[in-house]
Amino acid sequence: PVKVAIINNQVLGMVRQWQELIYENRTSHIDLAGSPDFVKLSEAYGVKAFRATNKEEARDAWIAALDHPGPAVVEFVVRKDENVYPMVTQGSTIDDMLLGDSE
């Protein structure tokens, strides 16, 4: 009964974040807009799948996946520009970690 969570922002998120924050928004080779429809792909293999595009759907989809007796995939769709924090940049120590908007 494995549950798989896909956080899909249709880009290489951490690479985009580094390019944005460290390389002055010079982005290269990050666009994954041609990715498959993960729900349809999962269902094609007989795996139950759910998609969530907001917090309410996310909660419901995860509960439904956990309640499903077999394997399930949940695709969480997030904004392309969503960043992940905390983060430690190259050459920095953990004392210099970036905390995002909460700094």
Side-chain angles (χ1 to χ4, degrees), residues 16-37:
R16 184 212 43 82
Q17 182 172 336
W18 278 68
Q19 291 174 347
E20 174 189 317
L21 297 175
I22 298 163
Y23 298 105
E24 300 171 355
N25 233 1
R26 292 189 309 266
T27 58
S28 176
H29 305 291
I30 59 169
D31 187 0
L32 299 177
S35 295
D37 181 325

Side-chain angles (χ1 to χ4, degrees), residues 56-68:
E56 294 76 29
E57 289 177 358
R59 190 172 302 113
D60 293 343
W62 190 244
I63 290 169
L66 291 176
D67 287 343
H68 182 66

